[in-house]
Amino acid sequence: MIHSIYSNKDVFLRELISNASDALDRLRLESLRDGNLQADTSDLHIAIEVDKESRTLTVRDNGIGMSHDGVVELIGTIANSGTATFLKELRESKDAAASADLIGQFGVGFYSSFMVADEVTLLTRHAGESQGTRWVSSGEGTYTLEPADDAPQGTSVTLKLKPEDTEDHLYDYASPWKIREIIKQHSDFITWPIRMAPTQAPVTTDEADEAEQGEEKAPELETVNSMKALWARPKDEVTDEEYHEFYKHISHDWVDPLETIRMQAEGTFEYQSLLFIPARAPQDLYMQDRKRGVQLYVKRVFIMDDCEALMPEYLRFVKGVVDAADLSLNVSRETLQQDRQIQLMRRRLVKKVLSTVKDIMSSDAERYATFWTEFGRVLKEGLLSDLENREAILEVCSFASTHDAEQPTTLRGYTERMKDGQEHIYYMTGESRSIVESSPHMEAFRDKGFEVLLLTDPIDELWVDAVPEFEGKQLRSIAKGQVDLDSQDEKEAEAEREQRQKDFAELLSWMTTALSEQVKEVRLSTRLTTSPACIVGDTFDVTPALENIYRSMGQNLPQIKRILELNPTHPLVSGLRKAHGERKDDSGLAETAELLYSMALLAEGGELSDPSRFIKLVAERVQQTL
């Protein structure tokens, strides 16, 4: 990371100030919850000291601080901060721009100091403890750790700055003017005072006399940030740049958000919110110990930084703050789950986020495509968990389909293109688009021009069974149940179909018995045009992919037998019927039926229970043709 190509090295100070701000927030909250905490909260602030002569920069706070174990876990173990992973990704990246973006993906935070410093010293003491800790590193993979009896409450980070190198975008961070400029640009909204010595304090006669007598008085520090919470300021007084910097402060992302959402509710209870939809998915989006990114404040007082009660699991990518006016300051996570005001706030926030996504969809196709690529899979989780907003979620979902090889479609777009007389929305699930498109189940639909949704995300296997319809049109799997795509003219040939059913009745009965270990039924198909056979499930059967998901979760399901459908117009099937009618006792016919089933299983991407036997039978059949 030290030798990274990221051009804006100024952000190291934003990261250090953000960490200090978090420490002050946590101390305020802990002091409210624990009346016996031995900690000074009378003047919580962040102080920045610049020493031009020694070229050092110190960022100090009197917040919660860290214990010795906390330093080891959070600072000393580089892998915990994601830096080791970051460096590995950086080395593997061949695109310079992509390499730069990687910096913000692993929560590097504190370690960004090494972009501008040859050595970093961290001095910290946890509030209520008597023993402090000193951590020192030159950023070369090692560090020293020792107890520090002189450590004040809180944390100070002292950087021994590198020489200025403007060509490498490494500026003079020993200049107070430069530090003030960075604070104004990146951290002006921090709700705690950031203090520095005056840059040009006027010298009075008395002060000059005191200086001559060796009694020079240290100048009084001044606050250099406005401390105005962005969510509390009028919208027309806040620029997009300020919103973006605030997002980066709370998310530790290095990229501007995709969308900013402001809300202000008045009435029986009041709250303000400032939410952001990121431009890219965080690295922990699918991790078990992931965090939701909405912070809760009460009357500008920070309460918690990961308020799960405010945002459902499927919107965990949303970042931001909610500031309520009427909640207790000493509220717990357990209490929040039952709080009526929180529940109502949550409902409104969810509806606002979904309506914002819908607006993006209708007004900016490129930004919506970015959103769906990054968060579409996780958003679809809401189709299972959020019945109240299911219709709203379906409205903003898009899916690959046979209509267009490149552009996905919405369900509304699908229904507008439905053929005359089409009653259902057809779909098929699978591991990839290519596998689904090459499936035998697609043949009749492709032949007759019916559009099919191609659902390839693992979550699709779950939600399609939970969502019965969209705007009165049932969602129907083309791999389940009976399919009838015949037009009115084709249905007039019903007598011919009934005759074919009688002709094949004996073969179907024999094959059902011969393959009873593998299938529950063998029947004629109306969905095949070129393949000899396919395997389908009953309407309410669990799909094989869903079976695998359940088994990977440790749930043992009983064997689910499926249905083998035969194409009566295929020469292999008609030839098998003829052969069976002529020589019912031929043992080779049972092997042919087994091969037919195995080929159908492979065609849908299934796994054979005995691959070696399949290969043996195929080899014997090929040999007979030579």
Side-chain angles (χ1 to χ4, degrees), residues 5 127 130 187 211 239 253 319 321 338 345 382 424 460 465 475 493 556 593 597:
I5 58 175
S130 58
S187 305
T239 65
D253 194 357
K319 310 293 183 183
V321 299
Q338 309 299 325
M345 287 164 59
H424 308 301
D460 294 331
D465 288 331
L475 275 72
N556 293 321
Y597 165 77

Side-chain angles (χ1 to χ4, degrees), residues 497-508:
R497 292 172 60 181
E498 290 181 359
Q499 182 59 47
R500 181 178 290 165
Q501 187 69 35
K502 292 179 182 178
D503 294 341
F504 279 83
E506 188 176 350
L507 175 69
L508 297 177

Side-chain angles (χ1 to χ4, degrees), residues 120-306:
V120 177
T121 300
L122 179 140
L123 183 64
T124 185
R125 178 169 64 83
H126 193 274
E129 295 184 0
S130 58
Q131 181 73 60
T133 303
R134 180 179 285 103
W135 179 96
V136 182
S137 176
S138 58
E140 296 178 349
T142 61
Y143 61 89
T144 61
L145 195 65
E146 61 184 9
D149 297 329
D150 58 339
Q153 172 189 303
T155 301
S156 67
V157 180
T158 301
L159 313 182
K160 188 175 182 180
L161 297 168
K162 294 180 179 182
E164 182 179 2
D165 183 357
T166 53
E167 291 185 2
D168 191 33
H169 303 282
L170 184 63
Y171 301 108
D172 184 11
Y173 298 112
S175 166
W177 292 106
K178 179 62 178 176
I179 297 303
R180 286 169 177 261
E181 176 188 298
I182 296 174
I183 292 172
K184 192 67 178 175
Q185 179 180 1
H186 292 285
S187 305
D188 191 55
F189 45 79
I190 297 294
T191 53
W192 301 104
I194 302 173
R195 296 172 183 166
M196 290 183 65
T199 51
Q200 289 182 339
V203 180
T204 65
T205 304
D206 292 340
E207 289 173 334
D209 293 341
E210 290 176 357
E212 290 179 3
Q213 298 171 13
E215 299 177 3
E216 185 174 351
K217 186 187 301 182
E220 186 175 343
L221 301 183
E222 63 181 16
T223 300
V224 295
N225 62 320
S226 67
M227 297 186 294
K228 293 182 179 178
L230 292 194
W231 62 86
R233 291 165 57 183
K235 188 175 183 179
D236 55 2
E237 292 183 7
V238 185
T239 65
D240 288 341
E241 288 74 18
E242 288 177 301
Y243 282 134
H244 294 171
E245 287 303 326
F246 181 73
Y247 163 75
K248 294 172 185 176
H249 162 65
I250 62 173
S251 68
H252 296 284
D253 194 357
W254 300 66
V255 178
D256 291 342
L258 186 71
E259 184 65 32
T260 302
I261 306 171
R262 280 194 62 148
M263 279 186 68
Q264 182 164 343
E266 299 177 349
T268 54
F269 68 95
E270 299 180 1
Y271 66 90
Q272 297 169 311
S273 67
L274 179 57
L275 304 178
F276 301 93
I277 298 176
R280 62 185 181 185
Q283 292 294 309
D284 65 349
L285 188 62
Y286 296 102
M287 294 182 182
Q288 189 171 4
D289 58 350
R290 60 186 172 260
K291 290 186 176 182
R292 278 169 254 183
V294 178
Q295 300 177 351
L296 175 63
Y297 284 73
V298 174
K299 298 177 183 177
R300 313 281 179 85
V301 176
F302 172 81
I303 300 300
M304 64 183 65
D305 63 353
D306 180 25

Side-chain angles (χ1 to χ4, degrees), residues 397-415:
C397 287
S398 58
F399 312 95
S401 88
T402 55
H403 173 70
D404 192 307
E406 301 293 334
Q407 296 297 323
T409 182
T410 62
L411 290 180
R412 187 172 301 282
Y414 180 103
T415 57

Side-chain angles (χ1 to χ4, degrees), residues 254-490:
W254 300 66
V255 178
D256 291 342
L258 186 71
E259 184 65 32
T260 302
I261 306 171
R262 280 194 62 148
M263 279 186 68
Q264 182 164 343
E266 299 177 349
T268 54
F269 68 95
E270 299 180 1
Y271 66 90
Q272 297 169 311
S273 67
L274 179 57
L275 304 178
F276 301 93
I277 298 176
R280 62 185 181 185
Q283 292 294 309
D284 65 349
L285 188 62
Y286 296 102
M287 294 182 182
Q288 189 171 4
D289 58 350
R290 60 186 172 260
K291 290 186 176 182
R292 278 169 254 183
V294 178
Q295 300 177 351
L296 175 63
Y297 284 73
V298 174
K299 298 177 183 177
R300 313 281 179 85
V301 176
F302 172 81
I303 300 300
M304 64 183 65
D305 63 353
D306 180 25
C307 188
E308 299 175 0
L310 284 172
M311 200 62 64
E313 180 77 0
Y314 71 93
L315 292 179
R316 56 185 176 271
F317 55 85
V318 175
K319 310 293 183 183
V321 299
V322 175
D323 190 353
D326 302 317
L327 288 176
S328 167
L329 292 177
N330 196 26
V331 69
S332 66
R333 292 183 185 272
E334 292 74 19
T335 306
L336 283 177
Q337 298 290 344
Q338 309 299 325
D339 190 278
R340 177 182 171 277
Q341 292 188 12
I342 288 288
Q343 292 176 356
L344 189 53
M345 287 164 59
R346 174 186 170 121
R347 292 177 63 187
R348 292 179 179 176
L349 292 171
V350 170
K351 291 183 183 300
K352 181 64 174 178
V353 170
L354 294 176
S355 66
T356 300
V357 174
K358 187 176 181 179
D359 292 341
I360 295 174
M361 172 189 273
S362 59
S363 62
D364 194 328
E366 185 176 344
R367 284 202 307 148
Y368 170 75
T370 298
F371 168 83
W372 190 254
T373 299
E374 298 293 327
F375 305 112
R377 184 185 298 181
V378 69
L379 187 70
K380 285 188 285 188
E381 294 175 13
L383 295 172
L384 291 166
S385 60
D386 191 351
L387 299 181
E388 181 181 353
N389 293 295
R390 178 177 286 172
E391 288 297 321
I393 298 172
L394 283 174
E395 285 279 1
V396 299
C397 287
S398 58
F399 312 95
S401 88
T402 55
H403 173 70
D404 192 307
E406 301 293 334
Q407 296 297 323
T409 182
T410 62
L411 290 180
R412 187 172 301 282
Y414 180 103
T415 57
E416 291 172 353
R417 291 189 298 271
M418 286 174 64
K419 298 170 69 71
D420 291 340
Q422 181 178 344
E423 298 178 355
H424 308 301
I425 297 172
Y426 294 113
Y427 71 86
M428 184 173 174
T429 59
E431 292 185 8
S432 68
R433 181 181 184 120
S434 60
I435 290 177
V436 175
E437 284 187 317
S438 61
S439 169
H441 300 96
M442 296 286 295
E443 293 175 359
F445 292 85
R446 187 184 299 112
D447 191 52
K448 296 179 182 295
F450 283 88
E451 181 177 354
V452 179
L453 300 178
L454 311 175
L455 308 182
T456 57
D457 286 335
I459 188 66
D460 294 331
E461 296 284 352
L462 299 171
W463 73 260
V464 290
D465 288 331
V467 179
E469 63 177 32
F470 176 76
E471 294 192 339
K473 302 290 185 180
Q474 283 191 339
L475 275 72
R476 179 70 64 85
S477 170
I478 67 171
K480 287 184 178 183
Q482 295 277 12
V483 170
D484 185 3
L485 302 179
D486 289 344
S487 64
Q488 189 60 40
D489 293 338
E490 291 169 324

Side-chain angles (χ1 to χ4, degrees), residues 54 73 88 176 299 320 382 390 430 433 499 528 569 586 594 603:
S54 62
E73 180 181 359
K88 178 176 180 292
K299 298 177 183 177
R390 178 177 286 172
R433 181 181 184 120
Q499 182 59 47
L528 296 174
T569 64
D586 188 345
E594 185 179 345

